[in-house]
């Protein structure tokens, strides 16, 4: 059995958890391990300020509060994303404006953003799918031109780069996920990256239930109280201790995943050359983190059959997002600007293969051989060539 995901354990996690349990000084949030994690993320990726959160969902919610989203404001994002990207802003009363994605990276099509901007537009939320960066230079240019905020959903993009800059550090705010399905995890967890210093003070308050408790602990005020809206967005030290063991070994995990990604790519190349499948595209200016290995097949029917076939062979391959504009809530809270040319078509044919830390080469070969046997034995005929528009 080769599952789709196994959460990473690299060795030091239990040691730090034990240390914490033995010390019994502080289990709640913002202790030593939270500080260590934030400092490490700041120094590794060059963020001005990092606040650990209970999830990426909560980091996105904090971002929506920080950029002061008001009822009726519009927020531009791709429809091909996780529900939290939209929900965080809908909770503040925003209307979500979806624009189409690019077929090569599955990221928001930067050339379609400008035409979706109105006087109500407040923010752009690029989602770095599979840890491959959106075209951030153009997105930041548009944001500057119209005075918009940029919140990066970098849930999948921890330790990925765009032109040498770490994802999550380019927009005004960035959001990371440490959910067990992500590259570095603590079960459930996340981080808010604050790149625009104006947001630091208020972010600390929002994260601490709307109180200035952080300032109090630093001795900057002599009592603390309720000063703003907020919630409980700080994770327990137990989560942070586990996470520190992962972040300390980020490069170990990264290299291991990248070599699996590369192996898949090489071994599936022949099938792609013969026109059966398409392989993922990583633009030259992006350094990705092998968050995901996906293939694209001919159509929805073929994908359903392939998932079923792999399931019989005990291989966990899964499809991904159902575009949000076609969901029940999406119909209430969003509109799709322009035509959906790529989003639905490409999401229908994308299939994610098993990918996790310490996935073995022999297991990858089992997956590759299963895919090959699916196409070769069934004699399924060759794909129609899809011509990717290469904008970069
Ligand atoms: C995983 C994910 C999230 C949510 O992360 P949580 O930490 O589980 O809240 C948000 N956006 C994207 C693109 C994701 O992949």
């Amino acid at each position: 059995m080769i599952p789709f995901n196994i959460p990473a354990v690299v060795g030091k996690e239990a040691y730090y958890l034990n240390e914490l349990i033995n010390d019994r000084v502080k289990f709640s949030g913002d202790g030593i391990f939270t500080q260590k994690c934030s400092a490490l993320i700041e120094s590794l990726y060059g963020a001005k300020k990092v606040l650990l959160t209970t999830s990426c969902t909560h980091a996105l919610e904090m971002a929506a509060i920080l950029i002061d989203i008001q009822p009726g404001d519009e927020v531009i994002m791709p429809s091909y994303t996780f529900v939290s990207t939209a929900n965080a802003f809908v909770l503040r009363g925003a209307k979500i404006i979806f624009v189409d994605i690019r077929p090569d990276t599955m990221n928001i099509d930067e050339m379609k953003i400008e035409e979706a901007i109105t006087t109500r537009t407040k923010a752009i939320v690029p989602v770095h799918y599979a840890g491959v960066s959106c075209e951030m230079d153009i997105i930041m240019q548009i944001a500057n031109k119209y005075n918009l905020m940029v919140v990066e959903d970098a849930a999948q993009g921890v330790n990925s780069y765009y032109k040498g800059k770490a994802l999550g550090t380019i927009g005004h705010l960035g959001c990371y996920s440490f959910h067990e399905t992500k590259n570095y995890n603590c079960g459930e967890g996340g981080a808010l990256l604050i790149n625009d210093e104006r947001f630091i003070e208020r972010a600390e308050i929002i994260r601490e239930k709307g109180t200035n408790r952080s300032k109090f602990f630093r001795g900057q005020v002599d009592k603390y109280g309720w000063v703003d809206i907020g919630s409980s967005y700080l994770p327990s030290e137990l989560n942070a201790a586990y996470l520190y063991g992962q972040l300390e070994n980020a490069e170990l995990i990264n290299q291991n995943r990248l070599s699996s990604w590369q192996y898949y790519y090489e071994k599936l190349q022949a099938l792609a050359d013969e026109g059966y499948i398409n392989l993922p595209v990583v633009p030259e200016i992006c350094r990705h983190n092998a968050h995901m290995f996906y293939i694209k097949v001919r159509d929805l029917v073929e994908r359903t059959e392939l998932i079923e076939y792999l399931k019989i062979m005990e291989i966990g391959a899964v499809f991904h997002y159902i575009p949000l504009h076609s969901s029940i809530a999406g119909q209430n809270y969003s509109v799709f600007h322009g035509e959906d040319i790529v989003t639905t078509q490409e999401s229908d044919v994308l299939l994610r293969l098993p990918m996790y830390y310490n996935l073995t080469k022999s297991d990858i070969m089992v997956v590759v051989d299963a895919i090959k046997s699916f196409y070769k034995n069934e004699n399924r005929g060759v794909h129609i060539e899809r011509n990717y528009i290469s904008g970069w």
Side-chain angles (χ1 to χ4, degrees):
M1 161 92 198
I2 306 170
F4 173 66
N5 178 56
I6 300 175
V9 180
V10 287
K12 262 309 199 44
E13 298 88 345
Y15 172 83
Y16 290 132
L17 273 168
N18 265 323
E19 197 178 296
L20 191 72
I21 291 165
N22 291 335
D23 285 353
R24 239 182 286 183
V25 173
K26 189 170 168 63
F27 285 176
S28 62
D30 278 342
I32 285 165
F33 283 107
T34 301
Q35 279 163 26
K36 282 183 175 213
C37 287
S38 324
L40 191 56
I41 298 169
E42 282 164 13
S43 72
L44 285 174
Y45 308 126
K48 287 222 175 75
K49 178 78 182 173
V50 171
L51 296 175
L52 283 199
T53 58
T54 28
S55 62
C56 180
T57 301
H58 280 167
L60 287 160
E61 287 180 21
M62 285 183 65
I65 298 170
L66 278 168
I67 63 169
D68 198 30
I69 295 291
Q70 296 294 322
D73 286 348
E74 294 177 359
V75 178
I76 295 172
M77 64 179 67
S79 173
Y80 188 69
T81 185
F82 190 57
V83 289
S84 297
T85 322
N87 252 332
F89 298 90
V90 169
L91 280 168
R92 317 269 7 122
K95 180 174 165 191
I96 306 299
I97 310 296
F98 293 124
V99 301
D100 214 359
I101 54 170
R102 301 163 42 137
D104 57 351
T105 57
M106 304 299 282
N107 285 333
I108 192 166
D109 186 337
E110 66 280 358
M111 302 316 282
K112 300 213 169 134
I113 293 173
E114 199 162 357
E115 64 197 38
I117 293 172
T118 71
T119 51
R120 311 226 61 168
T121 307
K122 197 80 163 266
I124 306 169
V125 187
V127 180
H128 306 296
Y129 189 70
V132 176
S133 178
C134 298
E135 188 23 288
M136 289 309 291
D137 276 354
I138 293 179
I139 292 171
M140 293 311 290
Q141 271 165 28
I142 296 168
N144 287 337
K145 182 171 166 191
Y146 294 93
N147 201 18
L148 306 175
M149 290 287 135
V150 174
V151 178
E152 293 178 73
D153 182 341
Q156 302 172 19
V158 184
N159 207 3
S160 280
Y161 294 80
Y162 168 81
K163 295 187 180 174
K165 289 183 205 151
L167 303 192
T169 68
I170 305 165
H172 300 86
L173 298 162
C175 303
Y176 282 174
S177 174
F178 302 120
H179 185 263
E180 70 164 20
T181 52
K182 302 304 198 300
N183 292 26
Y184 316 107
N185 88 96
C186 57
E188 301 271 0
L192 178 69
L193 280 70
I194 304 164
N195 309 309
D196 183 331
E197 283 158 9
R198 286 176 300 172
F199 294 122
I200 294 175
E201 190 176 335
R202 188 159 181 240
E204 286 183 337
I205 291 167
I206 290 165
R207 179 168 166 275
E208 269 283 18
K209 300 101 180 161
T211 72
N212 53 357
R213 197 161 177 262
S214 304
K215 262 188 157 172
F216 174 72
F217 281 122
R218 284 196 300 262
Q220 293 166 327
V221 289
D222 53 15
K223 59 180 185 325
Y224 78 86
W226 186 22
V227 294
D228 201 341
I229 59 165
S231 189
S232 186
Y233 291 127
L234 66 170
S236 137
E237 275 287 285
L238 295 157
N239 284 51
Y242 188 96
L243 183 62
Y244 190 64
Q246 298 256 306
L247 293 176
E248 224 187 20
N249 286 298
E251 232 11 74
L252 186 73
I253 297 175
N254 194 39
Q255 290 309 321
N256 183 281
R257 294 184 76 111
L258 281 167
S259 87
S260 293
W261 196 98
Q262 202 54 41
Y263 200 65
Y264 264 129
Y265 197 94
E266 281 160 25
K267 297 297 170 189
L268 286 167
Q269 186 75 62
L271 214 49
D273 290 344
E274 291 164 49
Y276 289 103
I277 59 169
N278 279 315
L279 296 176
V281 176
V282 180
E284 281 220 4
I285 50 176
C286 300
R287 205 174 98 199
H288 75 110
N289 60 0
H291 171 62
M292 189 190 294
F293 194 92
Y294 65 75
I295 59 171
K296 286 183 180 173
V297 303
R298 183 173 51 197
D299 55 28
L300 186 56
V301 174
E302 185 176 282
R303 184 179 73 178
T304 310
E305 287 170 2
L306 179 53
I307 291 174
E308 213 32 58
Y309 183 82
L310 294 174
K311 196 167 153 192
I312 293 163
M313 319 273 273
E314 301 198 301
I315 295 166
V318 289
F319 59 86
H320 213 179
Y321 307 127
I322 299 184
L324 294 181
H325 69 283
S326 47
S327 66
I328 293 168
Q331 280 159 22
N332 289 330
Y333 300 114
S334 69
V335 293
F336 196 100
H337 181 88
E339 212 185 323
D340 169 10
I341 299 166
V342 179
T343 302
T344 300
Q345 183 194 299
E346 294 298 304
S347 63
D348 275 353
V349 298
L350 185 145
L351 181 65
R352 296 180 291 161
L353 304 181
M355 170 59 85
Y356 46 83
Y357 174 67
N358 274 350
L359 171 63
T360 64
K361 286 208 158 58
S362 63
D363 278 350
I364 294 175
M365 274 322 290
V366 170
V367 178
V368 168
D369 287 340
I371 296 169
K372 280 187 175 159
S373 72
F374 172 80
Y375 283 106
K376 296 298 161 76
N377 297 345
E378 309 278 310
N379 200 11
R380 314 183 70 82
V382 170
H383 250 197
I384 304 144
E385 235 355 279
R386 278 197 304 267
N387 281 318
Y388 286 147
I389 316 118
S390 180
W392 298 13

